[in-house]
């Protein structure tokens, strides 16, 4: 019995047993600490708004992901006080160019000791398209059931032009902007606030915004034949003197009113004047010109003539003269000089008829270099020009602008 006790005591005091006891104690303590740690930490799952930072102001994001599902973990006390707004999910859209598709990571920022466990989706596809704006004129589509013997007059739309904003490819699908008043609305004679409708070739891929989306419309039903205002088209015959050109044409009035059946009025886009012979014009003219009645049965005009003001201006033409000799001026008399090149091209401007007949010698045109106060060669000097008829002609270019000059002593 005493021997057995001695053996057991030796086992307990051996190095192996002490090592086993130490390892077992450490493992038990580790398990205990981990268990305590897990008991103090909790997780939460919730939806978080997804922000898009540094997105190009001229870009539209198609298929926008508005939120992501996140799971976070942290100490129990901090998680109980967690403000979900403090967890931020965002996309860094800096330097992303419209017209391309990108796959980017979702970035999640968490406060304090709270850590991110997961985010779904962790990546999103950004389809960036260019945003454009256009101004388009609003058209009025009249009803087909207007009573016989009545027509619409005094149509006013405010504003006439409406802004259209959206993706570039969607804006290209728009054919027209229209309002469609009914016969009952027209018969009321009141000012109407009407929605603007889009005429499009195919469905939009995104959202198209109208600014404003409504316009004010006023139009009344009147008895009699329908009327329409059309522009006046001024017609000319003959050729204007080549030294002149027509700077402006002002017609008073610029539009006239025509009357007739609605079907016939739709065929008239403008009313022509009788032809004006401009072959003898050399100054501004104000001419009363008869109007030509459209060759459409039943269409009449409210005026028979208009006043046409023609403003003329002097025409200008250019001509390039080659190999104009370069003279040397201001040089010492006991030296010889040579120029390289010896001739230049000179472009002149003036009235076409005078340019055509221009003779450099008769006009006193010269090209030269000034050697005054020049004592060493070779030297590069600017080419200067002069022309006796400077009030009629103008020199616009010299090529080349600079030439090389060499001099040598006379023996």
């Amino acid at each position: 019995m005493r021997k057995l006790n001695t053996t057991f005591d030796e086992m307990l005091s051996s190095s192996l047993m002490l090592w086993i006891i130490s390892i077992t104690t450490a493992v038990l303590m580790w398990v205990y600490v981990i268990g305590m740690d897990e008991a103090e930490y909790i997780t939460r799952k919730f939806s978080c708004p997804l922000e898009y930072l540094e997105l190009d102001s001229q870009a539209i994001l198609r298929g926008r992901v508005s939120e992501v599902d996140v799971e976070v973990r942290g100490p129990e006390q901090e998680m109980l006080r967690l403000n979900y707004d403090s967890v931020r999910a965002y996309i860094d859209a800096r330097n992303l160019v419209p017209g391309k598709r990108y796959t980017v990571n979702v970035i999640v920022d968490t406060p304090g000791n709270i850590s991110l466990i997961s985010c779904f989706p962790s990546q999103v596809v950004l389809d960036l398209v260019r945003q454009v704006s256009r101004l388009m004129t609003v058209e009025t589509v009249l009803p087909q059931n207007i009573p016989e013997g009545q027509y619409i007059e005094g149509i006013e739309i405010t504003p006439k032009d409406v802004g259209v904003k959206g993706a570039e490819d969607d804006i290209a699908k728009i054919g027209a902007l229209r309002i469609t008043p009914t016969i009952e609305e027209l018969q009321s004679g009141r000012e109407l606030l009407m929605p603007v409708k889009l005429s499009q070739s195919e469905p939009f891929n995104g959202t198209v915004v109208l600014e404003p989306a409504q316009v004010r419309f006023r139009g009344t039903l009147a008895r009699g034949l329908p009327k329409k205002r059309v522009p006046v088209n001024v017609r000319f015959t003959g050729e204007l003197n080549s030294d002149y050109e027509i700077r402006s044409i002002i017609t008073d009035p610029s539009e006239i009113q025509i009357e007739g059946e609605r079907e016939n009025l739709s065929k008239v886009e403008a009313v022509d004047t009788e032809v004006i012979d401009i072959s003898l014009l050399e100054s501004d003219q104000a001419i009363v010109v008869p109007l030509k009645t459209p060759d459409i049965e039943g269409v009449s005009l409210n005026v028979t003539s208009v006043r046409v003001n023609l403003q003329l201006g002097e025409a200008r033409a250019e001509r390039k003269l080659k190999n104009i000799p370069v003279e040397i001026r201001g040089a010492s008399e006991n030296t010889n000089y040579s120029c390289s090149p010896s001739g230049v091209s000179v472009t002149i401007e003036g009235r076409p008829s005078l340019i055509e007949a221009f003779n450099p010698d008769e006009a006193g045109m010269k090209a030269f270099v000034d050697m005054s106060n020049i004592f060493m060669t070779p030297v590069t000097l600017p080419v200067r020009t002069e022309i006796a008829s400077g009030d009629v002609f103008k020199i616009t270019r010299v090529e080349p602008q600079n030439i090389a000059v060499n001099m040598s002593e006379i023996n």
Side-chain angles (χ1 to χ4, degrees):
M1 184 67 176
R2 180 178 300 174
K3 184 176 181 182
L4 181 60
N5 291 338
T6 301
T7 304
F8 183 73
D9 290 340
E10 289 176 352
M11 288 179 60
L12 287 177
S13 60
S14 68
S15 299
L16 177 61
M17 182 59 69
L18 292 174
W19 180 83
I20 292 172
I21 293 171
S22 298
I23 293 299
T24 302
T25 302
V27 169
L28 291 173
M29 290 183 64
W30 178 79
V31 171
Y32 174 78
V33 170
I34 290 298
M36 292 294 293
D37 184 62
E38 287 297 330
E40 293 177 358
Y41 278 75
I42 61 175
T43 62
R44 289 283 187 273
K45 291 183 179 181
F46 55 92
S47 295
C48 183
L50 183 59
E51 303 176 49
Y52 295 84
L53 305 184
E54 304 293 337
L55 190 63
D56 191 325
S57 60
Q58 298 301 313
I60 293 177
L61 181 58
R62 282 199 179 135
R64 177 189 289 261
V65 176
S66 59
E67 61 182 30
V68 293
D69 295 328
V70 298
E71 182 178 5
V72 295
R73 178 176 179 274
E76 183 176 4
Q77 293 301 318
E78 290 193 32
M79 291 294 285
L80 292 175
R81 296 191 301 267
L82 175 64
N83 181 353
Y84 290 153
D85 291 340
S86 64
V87 178
R88 188 182 182 200
Y90 62 91
I91 295 292
D92 186 356
R94 185 177 359 195
N95 301 324
L96 302 188
V97 181
K100 296 183 178 181
R101 292 169 64 94
Y102 300 88
T103 300
V104 295
N105 295 323
V106 178
I107 303 170
V108 180
D109 288 342
T110 57
N113 295 326
I114 296 173
S115 59
L116 177 69
I117 296 178
S118 66
C119 173
F120 181 81
S122 60
Q123 292 183 324
V124 296
V125 176
L126 300 187
D127 185 6
L128 292 178
V129 293
R130 191 175 306 280
Q131 177 178 263
V132 296
S133 298
R134 283 178 55 192
L135 274 179
M136 298 185 66
T137 301
V138 179
E139 302 174 358
T140 304
V141 179
L142 297 176
Q144 298 296 315
N145 57 339
I146 295 177
E148 191 68 30
Q150 295 185 7
Y151 68 97
I152 307 298
E153 70 172 5
I155 291 180
E156 295 179 6
I157 300 176
T158 307
K160 293 182 179 180
D161 297 325
V162 166
V164 185
K165 183 185 294 185
E168 191 171 21
D169 56 347
D170 282 340
I171 297 299
K173 299 173 184 177
I174 300 175
L177 302 184
R178 296 170 176 167
I179 55 174
T180 55
T182 64
I183 188 66
E184 291 77 13
E185 289 171 329
L186 292 172
Q187 287 173 337
S188 70
R190 293 181 287 104
E191 183 178 82
L192 306 170
L193 188 62
M194 305 205 66
V196 179
K197 299 179 181 179
L198 290 165
S199 170
Q200 59 199 77
S201 58
E202 55 184 281
F204 296 138
N205 295 319
T207 301
V208 173
V209 179
L210 299 178
E211 298 176 349
Q214 294 179 315
V215 294
R216 296 188 178 277
F217 169 83
R218 182 180 290 277
T220 56
L221 282 172
R223 294 193 175 277
L225 288 173
K227 296 176 175 59
K228 176 183 176 181
R229 299 196 67 82
V230 293
V232 175
N233 177 46
V234 181
R235 299 189 302 157
F236 298 108
T237 186
E239 292 188 7
L240 192 64
N241 187 313
S242 63
D243 287 342
Y244 298 94
E245 61 185 11
I246 297 177
R247 294 285 174 85
S248 70
I249 305 171
I250 302 174
T251 308
D252 184 23
S254 60
E255 290 184 336
I256 66 165
Q257 183 173 275
I258 60 176
E259 183 179 277
E261 296 295 338
R262 186 177 296 108
E263 182 179 350
N264 293 334
L265 292 184
S266 64
K267 301 175 183 178
V268 182
E269 299 298 330
V271 172
D272 295 333
T273 65
E274 297 292 347
V275 293
I276 302 172
D277 187 355
I278 59 173
S279 59
L280 301 178
L281 292 182
E282 293 187 355
S283 61
D284 297 347
Q285 297 287 328
I287 311 168
V288 176
V289 186
L291 293 173
K292 185 176 180 295
T293 302
D295 297 329
I296 298 176
E297 184 179 355
V299 174
S300 60
L301 316 178
N302 68 331
V303 295
T304 58
S305 61
V306 293
R307 185 181 183 87
V308 179
N309 292 286
L310 300 176
Q311 294 184 352
L312 303 185
E314 187 177 278
R316 307 294 288 178
E318 284 191 340
R319 181 180 171 189
K320 188 173 184 178
L321 306 168
K322 298 182 179 180
N323 298 322
I324 302 299
V326 179
E327 300 178 358
I328 297 177
R329 298 182 182 178
S332 173
E333 295 182 357
N334 61 347
T335 53
N336 284 334
Y337 294 91
S338 62
C339 300
S340 179
S342 59
V344 293
S345 296
V346 178
T347 302
I348 60 171
E349 180 188 277
R351 293 170 62 174
S353 61
L354 298 178
I355 286 288
E356 186 69 25
F358 181 82
N359 184 297
D361 295 330
E362 294 177 1
M365 188 177 76
K366 304 291 184 182
F368 64 94
V369 291
D370 188 356
M371 292 291 294
S372 299
N373 301 320
I374 303 296
F375 304 104
M376 298 183 66
T377 60
V379 63
T380 300
L381 297 175
V383 179
R384 301 181 180 180
T385 56
E386 63 182 17
I387 188 167
S389 305
D391 56 337
V392 178
F393 301 101
K394 177 183 176 183
I395 296 175
T396 58
R397 286 189 300 277
V398 177
E399 301 170 293
Q401 297 180 346
N402 302 292
I403 63 172
V405 181
N406 286 296
M407 69 177 179
S408 59
E409 297 290 335
I410 297 177
N411 296 328

